[in-house]
Amino acid sequence: MLRVEHLSYEVSEDRRNREIVKDVSFTVGDGEMLVITGPNGGGKSTIAKLLMGLEEASDGRIFLDDQELTNLNVNERAQAGIGFAFQQPPAFKGMTVERYLGLAAGEPLPEKECCRLLSGVGLCAKEYLGREVDATLSGGERKRIEIATVLAKPHKLCIFDEPEAGIDLWSFATLVEQFEKIHKEKKESLILISHQERIIRMADRIMVVRDGQIESIGSNEEMIPRLFLDEPGCTCLEEKGEDGCGTGFRNE
């Protein structure tokens, strides 16, 4: 179980401190899927980075099972059982996709296993194993490979920051199947940051973050009626357009 207690994060701007995340507390149970959603700029990705140790919290505590992670660095948190997929994955010139998957798994992987991981995110393995994880790949290709690296090793908790970003519809459908499989097996807890309705509807619980704070959190049954209009074609959690589709979340 992940337990987050009074997590806060502030930055200094023009000699003033500005709170980005404000006193956030929540839990994620074993095998549970929590989807974090809300308007752009609300602090969702910052919360994910704080959990992984990519940013240092100003206050609060983080626990994974009985281990406190608050003062651990990124590598130590990974060793404790957290996997993380960036919203905008980095490029690694000189590193092949096959080697990248092996590093993520902690050991060289047989070609068959690499193929399984890549096909699971909508990529043809034979076309990608020997390619470098660099600027010759599109942002969407790097995003899918990044997700495959998280799936290459068992974790206690996997965090995916907007996994749908930059991915075509066919690959997105394949990716959703992977999340459904992980969720069904209940071997890992999942945190997904997303605006996408199909992902949100998969969640056990949904947390809405706005202005760095938890605006609301509850079960799927409690939250879905609040977030979505019963209109055909409403597929994302964004500002309402002229057709009335959406939930009124605005890009801030």
Side-chain angles (χ1 to χ4, degrees):
M1 172 182 282
L2 175 75
R3 189 169 82 255
V4 179
E5 299 178 350
H6 306 293
L7 195 65
S8 297
Y9 176 70
E10 61 183 31
V11 296
S12 180
E13 293 182 350
D14 299 325
R15 298 182 181 181
R16 295 182 178 180
N17 291 334
R18 183 168 73 91
E19 279 193 299
I20 307 299
V21 174
K22 309 169 187 177
D23 195 25
V24 167
S25 298
F26 64 94
T27 62
V28 182
D30 294 340
E32 182 181 30
M33 177 189 288
L34 174 72
V35 171
I36 303 177
T37 192
N40 291 339
K44 304 182 301 296
S45 292
T46 301
I47 291 173
K49 291 176 181 178
L50 292 170
L51 296 178
M52 192 65 225
L54 296 166
E55 300 286 0
E56 185 176 351
S58 305
D59 199 6
R61 303 174 76 184
I62 302 168
F63 297 86
L64 186 61
D65 293 337
D66 296 325
Q67 181 179 5
E68 183 167 3
L69 308 182
T70 311
N71 297 319
L72 300 186
N73 61 33
V74 175
N75 290 333
E76 290 169 331
R77 295 189 193 202
Q79 292 171 2
I82 298 183
F84 187 93
F86 289 89
Q87 182 177 348
Q88 297 179 333
F92 300 99
K93 186 174 178 60
M95 180 178 294
T96 66
V97 171
E98 184 174 16
R99 185 181 173 211
Y100 190 32
L101 291 171
L103 288 174
E107 60 182 6
L109 293 176
E111 183 175 328
K112 183 177 180 180
E113 178 63 10
C114 291
C115 290
R116 184 189 69 81
L117 290 167
L118 292 175
S119 63
V121 294
L123 295 176
C124 177
K126 291 184 178 180
E127 294 181 8
Y128 285 92
L129 284 180
R131 293 186 62 178
E132 294 184 5
V133 189
D134 59 11
T136 63
L137 296 173
S138 70
E141 288 171 325
R142 290 205 307 273
K143 183 66 173 281
R144 282 179 276 178
I145 290 168
E146 176 84 359
I147 292 170
T149 64
V150 176
L151 302 177
K153 179 181 179 180
H155 298 89
K156 293 180 180 179
L157 170 69
C158 292
I159 303 171
F160 297 91
D161 191 357
E162 295 197 22
E164 70 272 18
I167 295 181
D168 60 83
L169 290 175
W170 183 85
S171 298
F172 173 71
T174 303
L175 186 61
V176 167
E177 290 176 2
Q178 288 292 314
F179 290 140
E180 289 175 338
K181 180 181 178 182
I182 296 171
H183 189 209
K184 184 177 180 179
E185 292 175 348
K186 300 291 185 182
K187 293 180 179 179
E188 301 176 358
S189 301
L190 297 173
I191 293 178
L192 278 71
I193 297 172
S194 181
H195 292 119
Q196 223 291 332
E197 180 176 352
R198 187 171 175 187
I199 288 179
I200 294 170
R201 287 185 180 274
M202 292 166 54
D204 295 306
R205 285 190 303 140
I206 300 163
M207 183 167 82
V208 177
V209 174
R210 185 191 295 268
D211 297 328
Q213 298 175 300
I214 298 176
E215 181 177 85
S216 57
I217 185 170
S219 68
N220 183 297
E221 293 78 9
E222 294 170 327
M223 298 294 292
I224 289 296
R226 303 182 193 177
L227 296 178
F228 297 105
L229 299 175
D230 293 329
E231 296 181 7
C234 184
T235 58
C236 64
L237 205 60
E238 294 289 356
E239 180 179 357
K240 285 187 180 180
E242 294 179 358
D243 61 355
C245 177
T247 60
F249 283 169
R250 298 183 178 274
N251 297 333
E252 299 175 343

